[in-house]
Amino acid sequence: MNLNVIGGELASETSEFQRLNNYCYQAGLHLTLEWKEGQYWLHSDDLKENPIGIQIDHELKRHEEFFKRSSIVKELLARAVGVKSGVRPKILDLTGGLLGDTLLFLSFGCEVVTLERHPIIAFLIKSSLANAHHPALARLKFVEQDAATFLAENPIPEVVFFDPMFEDANERALPKKEMRIFRSFVGQDQDALEILKLSKQLGAKRLVVKRPRLSVELGPSPQLKFEGKATRYDVYFSI
Ligand SMILES: C[S@@+](CC[C@H](N)C(=O)[O-])C[C@H]1O[C@@H](n2cnc3c(N)ncnc32)[C@H](O)[C@@H]1O
């Protein structure tokens, strides 16, 4: 077995288990999923670190508290995706990951469709969504699918957000511990440039690419850049 499951309902005879186990086998991964506090958490056998899981309700409440005290429209990410006073665009988040950005978009008041193609990450997302109850989740649709397929089959919304795993030589800052573990089993998104081109070709009105502040641009020069301490948002508008 390449996938070890402790607790919960993901028994080894289920088709979901077989699908995830086959994925781990093919990718050469040895992973453990543990059922705790109503959802699954992911341990990597190689790294003796805290397990990864997404505490959706907790995160949404944390953002809610934060935005009670500060202005949403001044947030760099909010400005990058075009949130303004009275304007809450619909966002397609192509790269769900641990839902950090998706949950921020929900906190801004946006409607969000989020994609994730990695079966193990998608499983973590689904498990944490099933354990979450925050009212903002009524504005979220999660789809386990590759961005290229989804873009080919669905109309493109006003704003497309893209945060691929794509390292370059200029990326000096070490990512947070959680992201390092994550990277160790998700790997690099080698097709990132193709997805960017496809989103532009399909006429995304506003395409926002998240990059570490010092790293090179993923594609051509963006029309707008929003720079924070560690992060940069490159914004492309369709002509
Ligand atoms: C850097 S992480 C995203 C982190 C996320 N923004 C967050 O705040 O947690 C990239 C994630 O996007 C997924 N991904 C990358 N390219 C994708 C694609 N073309 N289609 C769907 N998911 C993709 C990867 O599997 C990975 O989980």
Side-chain angles (χ1 to χ4, degrees):
M1 285 303 186
N2 286 61
L3 182 64
N4 177 30
V5 178
I6 307 168
E9 290 184 350
L10 187 65
S12 56
E13 59 279 7
T14 60
S15 56
E16 180 71 332
F17 175 91
Q18 316 263 323
R19 183 176 79 94
L20 297 176
N21 189 48
N22 282 345
Y23 179 85
C24 289
Y25 173 75
Q26 276 159 17
L29 295 171
H30 291 270
L31 301 172
T32 298
L33 286 167
E34 184 183 1
W35 180 261
K36 221 172 36 170
E37 298 157 23
Q39 65 183 65
Y40 277 107
W41 298 74
L42 178 69
H43 297 265
S44 160
D45 285 353
D46 301 335
L47 296 133
K48 303 279 173 261
E49 309 267 10
N50 287 335
I52 298 173
I54 316 160
Q55 289 181 295
I56 292 180
D57 281 344
H58 169 83
E59 281 302 295
L60 284 170
K61 278 180 201 139
R62 195 168 67 84
H63 295 329
E64 219 169 56
E65 285 306 312
F66 179 77
F67 289 125
K68 263 188 214 158
R69 295 189 301 272
S70 62
S71 158
I72 286 176
V73 294
K74 284 190 186 155
E75 274 288 299
L76 203 63
L77 176 62
R79 285 165 53 206
V81 295
V83 165
K84 295 182 195 135
S85 175
V87 179
R88 295 293 184 270
K90 287 187 184 163
I91 300 177
L92 172 61
D93 183 348
L94 300 177
T95 43
L98 298 179
L99 295 188
D101 295 306
T102 288
L103 297 182
L104 276 164
F105 299 142
L106 291 178
S107 310
F108 299 160
C110 300
E111 267 180 49
V112 189
V113 174
T114 292
L115 312 182
E116 174 55 57
R117 68 175 165 192
H118 192 293
I120 301 286
I121 305 296
F123 178 78
L124 282 186
I125 293 176
K126 286 183 282 185
S127 172
S128 54
L129 278 171
N131 189 33
H133 306 282
H134 196 284
L137 293 170
R139 286 184 273 107
L140 173 65
K141 183 174 173 210
F142 172 68
V143 185
E144 180 177 353
Q145 200 167 45
D146 182 80
T149 316
F150 186 91
L151 287 168
E153 292 173 356
N154 293 277
I156 201 152
E158 302 160 71
V159 177
V160 176
F161 180 78
F162 189 39
D163 175 21
M165 309 263 233
F166 194 84
E167 280 174 67
D168 67 59
N170 285 0
E171 209 177 303
R172 286 187 212 138
L174 267 182
K176 281 199 310 193
K177 190 168 86 177
E178 198 179 44
M179 199 39 88
R180 285 208 301 277
I181 304 172
F182 189 77
R183 281 186 179 182
S184 70
F185 71 91
V186 176
Q188 297 281 311
D189 296 319
Q190 303 292 356
D191 57 351
L193 184 56
E194 274 112 86
I195 298 295
L196 177 139
K197 285 184 187 157
L198 183 64
S199 307
K200 276 167 71 68
Q201 258 167 32
L202 291 172
K205 279 201 187 128
R206 187 180 188 115
L207 169 65
V208 181
V209 181
K210 182 175 174 181
R211 305 288 296 137
R213 186 172 70 88
L214 297 172
S215 61
V216 293
E217 288 143 10
L218 188 57
S221 283
Q223 281 103 324
L224 250 185
K225 283 185 187 188
F226 291 86
E227 270 190 25
K229 279 194 203 133
T231 306
R232 193 183 73 230
Y233 300 103
D234 293 345
V235 185
Y236 301 86
F237 297 98
S238 76
I239 316 154

